[in-house]
Amino acid sequence: MARETIVRKASDLTEEEDRALRPQRIRDMVGQGDVTARLDIALDAARKRSETLGHILFDGPPGLGKTTLAMAIPRELGTSIQIASGAALQAPKDLIPYLTNAESNSVIFIDEIHRLPKIVEEFLYPAMEDFRIDLTLGDGVNARTINMTLRPFTLIGATTRAGMISAPLRDRFVMREHLEFYTLDELAEIVRRNAAKLNTAIDEAACREIAHRSRGTPRLANNRLRWVRDYATSKADGRVTIQLADAALEMQGIDPLGLDGQDRKYLETIIRTFAGGPVGVEAVAHTLNLPPDTLVDEVEPFLLRAGLVIRTPRGRRATVAAYEHLGAAPPPEAAGGATLF
Ligand code: ADP
């Protein structure tokens, strides 16, 4: 059950709805101004010189816009994109069709690129660097290697785990861009724009409330907006007021900080089961019956950013703010942590 809750987080919107709300061009994106300014320059230069755009790596927590940026780039260049996932590319032969089908100056997007096995990574190096691959035909004594030239392409990688990318792969990306959580104003703007796209009348206070409870993440803002909209349609005349937004989010178990049941269970486990920590992430994951990766990728980044937990060499610790948020009395030794934002 717990696992289902978290998997749903990433996919609350149907594909069609997601497409409708996803910004198509870089200029349509809200926030990430530094990243988009650098991309604009690189795109402009590539266009002016009629050259291939350099390879780009995006990293950051889920739902912050890595895929959106990767899909906007070929539109800016007027070229095509092929989309692959690191988890599905388990052998060099899985990658070959993408490389050989790539049109000149087109984009190959590999999501979850940290999941590429080493053998596939190594196969990618000459493709990225010199646009060629070495193919081995036959095996045993009859094996021979042929060298194949590819049309130049741009590789865009996305990862929630920059630390898991090997240095040789990382170094082959010309641009490495880290996406940060969005500010309240940026998320409110996303909610405002998307409510208009969904033909939904919404109060300014409701926009800000949904933004405030979206954990700095546009994908969650979209999911919350959709739920609040459904709620307003079912319980009232469809117009989203602050009262309806509050009631709808409370019904979904999303608290005033934007944490959902899963986030609170994580904090409760550290505080109640492990006396506030320090505790290793594996032990918390085991207790919650969740894969540690899910905690590290999806749950912890915002809680760390919000100063509710801290990482120490001996494991995670709940801060005073976490105790207070759960209405528990912090022990004298609880860590202060950063201020909430
Ligand atoms: P990631 O690949 O980082 O997990 P996505 O690019 O799939 O995240 O973004 C999730 C959703 O959030 C998108 O469908 C889009 O609607 C919305 N979104 C992401 N970034 C922005 C942004 N900068 N402005 C507006 N909406 C955004």
Side-chain angles (χ1 to χ4, degrees), residues 1-3 6 261-270 273-274 281-291 295 299:
M1 187 58 211
R3 188 170 307 214
I6 211 142
Q262 193 65 62
D263 301 321
R264 284 192 301 276
K265 243 187 257 165
Y266 167 92
L267 292 176
E268 270 164 21
T269 303
I270 297 182
T273 314
F274 296 100
V281 69
E282 285 80 12
V284 181
H286 198 73
T287 311
L288 289 172
N289 192 22
L290 281 172
L295 287 189
V299 177

Short mmCIF file of all heavy atoms in Angstrom, two decimals, residues 1-3 6 261-270 273-274 281-291 295 299:
data_model
loop_
_atom_site.label_atom_id
_atom_site.label_comp_id
_atom_site.label_asym_id
_atom_site.label_seq_id
_atom_site.Cartn_x
_atom_site.Cartn_y
_atom_site.Cartn_z
N MET A 1 0.84 -1.21 0.00
CA MET A 1 0.00 0.00 0.00
C MET A 1 0.87 1.26 0.00
O MET A 1 0.74 2.15 -0.83
CB MET A 1 -0.91 -0.05 1.24
CG MET A 1 -1.94 1.07 1.28
SD MET A 1 -2.99 1.02 -0.21
CE MET A 1 -3.37 2.73 -0.40
N ALA A 2 1.81 1.25 0.96
CA ALA A 2 2.69 2.42 1.07
C ALA A 2 3.42 2.64 -0.26
O ALA A 2 3.53 3.74 -0.74
CB ALA A 2 3.69 2.21 2.19
N ARG A 3 3.88 1.54 -0.83
CA ARG A 3 4.63 1.64 -2.08
C ARG A 3 3.77 2.24 -3.18
O ARG A 3 4.20 3.09 -3.92
CB ARG A 3 5.10 0.24 -2.47
CG ARG A 3 6.04 0.23 -3.63
CD ARG A 3 6.64 -1.12 -3.79
NE ARG A 3 7.22 -1.56 -2.53
CZ ARG A 3 8.32 -2.31 -2.47
NH1 ARG A 3 8.91 -2.68 -3.54
NH2 ARG A 3 8.80 -2.68 -1.31
N ILE A 6 3.43 6.01 -3.14
CA ILE A 6 4.55 6.80 -3.62
C ILE A 6 4.71 6.70 -5.13
O ILE A 6 5.09 7.65 -5.78
CB ILE A 6 5.81 6.41 -2.86
CG1 ILE A 6 6.71 7.62 -2.76
CG2 ILE A 6 6.55 5.27 -3.49
CD1 ILE A 6 7.38 7.67 -1.46
N GLY A 261 1.09 11.83 3.49
CA GLY A 261 1.17 10.78 4.51
C GLY A 261 2.51 10.06 4.50
O GLY A 261 3.07 9.73 5.55
N GLN A 262 3.04 9.86 3.31
CA GLN A 262 4.32 9.16 3.17
C GLN A 262 5.47 9.95 3.82
O GLN A 262 6.30 9.39 4.53
CB GLN A 262 4.60 9.00 1.68
CG GLN A 262 5.70 8.04 1.36
CD GLN A 262 5.32 6.65 1.77
OE1 GLN A 262 4.36 6.11 1.26
NE2 GLN A 262 6.04 6.10 2.72
N ASP A 263 5.46 11.25 3.56
CA ASP A 263 6.51 12.10 4.14
C ASP A 263 6.44 12.07 5.67
O ASP A 263 7.45 11.98 6.36
CB ASP A 263 6.35 13.56 3.69
CG ASP A 263 6.41 13.71 2.18
OD1 ASP A 263 7.22 13.02 1.55
OD2 ASP A 263 5.63 14.52 1.63
N ARG A 264 5.20 12.17 6.17
CA ARG A 264 5.04 12.20 7.63
C ARG A 264 5.44 10.85 8.24
O ARG A 264 6.05 10.80 9.30
CB ARG A 264 3.61 12.59 8.02
CG ARG A 264 3.34 14.09 7.85
CD ARG A 264 2.04 14.50 8.52
NE ARG A 264 0.93 13.76 7.95
CZ ARG A 264 0.28 14.12 6.82
NH1 ARG A 264 0.65 15.21 6.18
NH2 ARG A 264 -0.71 13.40 6.38
N LYS A 265 5.11 9.77 7.54
CA LYS A 265 5.48 8.44 8.06
C LYS A 265 6.99 8.31 8.14
O LYS A 265 7.53 7.72 9.08
CB LYS A 265 4.91 7.36 7.13
CG LYS A 265 3.89 6.47 7.84
CD LYS A 265 3.49 5.32 6.96
CE LYS A 265 2.13 5.55 6.36
NZ LYS A 265 1.82 4.69 5.25
N TYR A 266 7.67 8.87 7.17
CA TYR A 266 9.14 8.84 7.18
C TYR A 266 9.67 9.58 8.42
O TYR A 266 10.51 9.07 9.15
CB TYR A 266 9.67 9.48 5.88
CG TYR A 266 11.15 9.81 5.88
CD1 TYR A 266 12.08 8.89 5.40
CD2 TYR A 266 11.61 11.04 6.34
CE1 TYR A 266 13.43 9.20 5.39
CE2 TYR A 266 12.95 11.34 6.35
CZ TYR A 266 13.86 10.42 5.86
OH TYR A 266 15.20 10.73 5.87
N LEU A 267 9.13 10.78 8.66
CA LEU A 267 9.59 11.55 9.82
C LEU A 267 9.23 10.83 11.12
O LEU A 267 10.03 10.76 12.05
CB LEU A 267 8.96 12.96 9.82
CG LEU A 267 9.41 13.91 8.71
CD1 LEU A 267 8.63 15.22 8.79
CD2 LEU A 267 10.91 14.18 8.79
N GLU A 268 8.00 10.29 11.16
CA GLU A 268 7.56 9.58 12.38
C GLU A 268 8.45 8.38 12.66
O GLU A 268 8.75 8.09 13.82
CB GLU A 268 6.11 9.09 12.20
CG GLU A 268 5.09 10.12 12.66
CD GLU A 268 3.71 9.80 12.13
OE1 GLU A 268 3.45 8.63 11.76
OE2 GLU A 268 2.89 10.73 12.06
N THR A 269 8.87 7.69 11.60
CA THR A 269 9.72 6.51 11.80
C THR A 269 11.04 6.91 12.43
O THR A 269 11.51 6.27 13.37
CB THR A 269 9.95 5.80 10.45
OG1 THR A 269 8.69 5.47 9.91
CG2 THR A 269 10.77 4.53 10.61
N ILE A 270 11.62 7.99 11.94
CA ILE A 270 12.89 8.44 12.53
C ILE A 270 12.68 8.86 13.98
O ILE A 270 13.44 8.49 14.87
CB ILE A 270 13.51 9.60 11.71
CG1 ILE A 270 13.84 9.13 10.30
CG2 ILE A 270 14.75 10.15 12.40
CD1 ILE A 270 14.50 10.18 9.43
N THR A 273 10.41 5.48 15.99
CA THR A 273 11.04 4.14 16.01
C THR A 273 12.53 4.25 16.32
O THR A 273 13.09 3.39 16.97
CB THR A 273 10.82 3.44 14.65
OG1 THR A 273 9.46 3.59 14.28
CG2 THR A 273 11.18 1.97 14.71
N PHE A 274 13.15 5.31 15.82
CA PHE A 274 14.61 5.40 15.99
C PHE A 274 15.02 6.59 16.87
O PHE A 274 16.14 7.09 16.76
CB PHE A 274 15.28 5.48 14.62
CG PHE A 274 15.09 4.22 13.79
CD1 PHE A 274 14.13 4.18 12.79
CD2 PHE A 274 15.82 3.08 14.06
CE1 PHE A 274 13.93 3.02 12.04
CE2 PHE A 274 15.62 1.92 13.33
CZ PHE A 274 14.67 1.88 12.32
N VAL A 281 19.56 5.15 6.20
CA VAL A 281 18.37 5.21 5.35
C VAL A 281 17.82 3.81 5.06
O VAL A 281 16.61 3.63 4.94
CB VAL A 281 18.66 6.01 4.05
CG1 VAL A 281 19.62 5.28 3.13
CG2 VAL A 281 17.38 6.34 3.31
N GLU A 282 18.70 2.82 5.05
CA GLU A 282 18.22 1.45 4.78
C GLU A 282 17.28 0.99 5.90
O GLU A 282 16.27 0.34 5.63
CB GLU A 282 19.38 0.44 4.68
CG GLU A 282 20.16 0.51 3.39
CD GLU A 282 21.17 1.64 3.39
OE1 GLU A 282 21.40 2.23 4.48
OE2 GLU A 282 21.70 1.97 2.32
N ALA A 283 17.63 1.33 7.14
CA ALA A 283 16.79 0.90 8.27
C ALA A 283 15.43 1.57 8.19
O ALA A 283 14.39 0.93 8.42
CB ALA A 283 17.49 1.24 9.59
N VAL A 284 15.40 2.84 7.84
CA VAL A 284 14.12 3.55 7.72
C VAL A 284 13.31 2.93 6.57
O VAL A 284 12.11 2.65 6.70
CB VAL A 284 14.32 5.06 7.44
CG1 VAL A 284 12.98 5.79 7.36
CG2 VAL A 284 15.19 5.69 8.51
N ALA A 285 13.97 2.67 5.45
CA ALA A 285 13.30 2.11 4.28
C ALA A 285 12.72 0.74 4.62
O ALA A 285 11.58 0.42 4.27
CB ALA A 285 14.28 2.00 3.12
N HIS A 286 13.49 -0.04 5.35
CA HIS A 286 13.05 -1.38 5.73
C HIS A 286 11.80 -1.29 6.60
O HIS A 286 10.82 -2.00 6.40
CB HIS A 286 14.19 -2.07 6.47
CG HIS A 286 14.02 -3.54 6.52
ND1 HIS A 286 14.21 -4.33 5.41
CD2 HIS A 286 13.64 -4.36 7.53
CE1 HIS A 286 13.96 -5.58 5.75
NE2 HIS A 286 13.60 -5.63 7.02
N THR A 287 11.83 -0.39 7.55
CA THR A 287 10.68 -0.24 8.45
C THR A 287 9.44 0.20 7.67
O THR A 287 8.33 -0.24 7.95
CB THR A 287 11.01 0.82 9.53
OG1 THR A 287 12.27 0.51 10.08
CG2 THR A 287 9.95 0.85 10.62
N LEU A 288 9.63 1.06 6.68
CA LEU A 288 8.49 1.57 5.90
C LEU A 288 8.11 0.63 4.76
O LEU A 288 7.17 0.91 4.01
CB LEU A 288 8.83 2.94 5.31
CG LEU A 288 8.92 4.10 6.29
CD1 LEU A 288 9.45 5.33 5.58
CD2 LEU A 288 7.54 4.40 6.88
N ASN A 289 8.91 -0.43 4.59
CA ASN A 289 8.68 -1.37 3.50
C ASN A 289 8.75 -0.68 2.13
O ASN A 289 7.87 -0.84 1.28
CB ASN A 289 7.33 -2.08 3.71
CG ASN A 289 7.17 -3.26 2.78
OD1 ASN A 289 8.17 -3.80 2.30
ND2 ASN A 289 5.94 -3.65 2.49
N LEU A 290 9.78 0.13 1.98
CA LEU A 290 9.99 0.86 0.71
C LEU A 290 11.42 0.64 0.25
O LEU A 290 12.31 0.45 1.08
CB LEU A 290 9.80 2.36 0.95
CG LEU A 290 8.39 2.91 1.01
CD1 LEU A 290 8.44 4.37 1.44
CD2 LEU A 290 7.71 2.79 -0.34
N PRO A 291 11.67 0.70 -1.05
CA PRO A 291 13.07 0.62 -1.49
C PRO A 291 13.83 1.87 -1.04
O PRO A 291 13.29 2.98 -1.14
CB PRO A 291 12.97 0.60 -3.03
CG PRO A 291 11.52 0.52 -3.36
CD PRO A 291 10.73 0.87 -2.16
N LEU A 295 13.16 6.44 -1.12
CA LEU A 295 13.31 7.45 -0.06
C LEU A 295 14.34 8.50 -0.47
O LEU A 295 14.10 9.70 -0.35
CB LEU A 295 13.77 6.79 1.25
CG LEU A 295 12.76 5.95 2.02
CD1 LEU A 295 13.34 5.58 3.37
CD2 LEU A 295 11.45 6.73 2.19
N VAL A 299 11.55 11.15 -1.44
CA VAL A 299 11.03 11.66 -0.17
C VAL A 299 12.02 12.63 0.48
O VAL A 299 11.66 13.72 0.90
CB VAL A 299 10.70 10.49 0.78
CG1 VAL A 299 10.22 11.01 2.13
CG2 VAL A 299 9.65 9.57 0.15
#
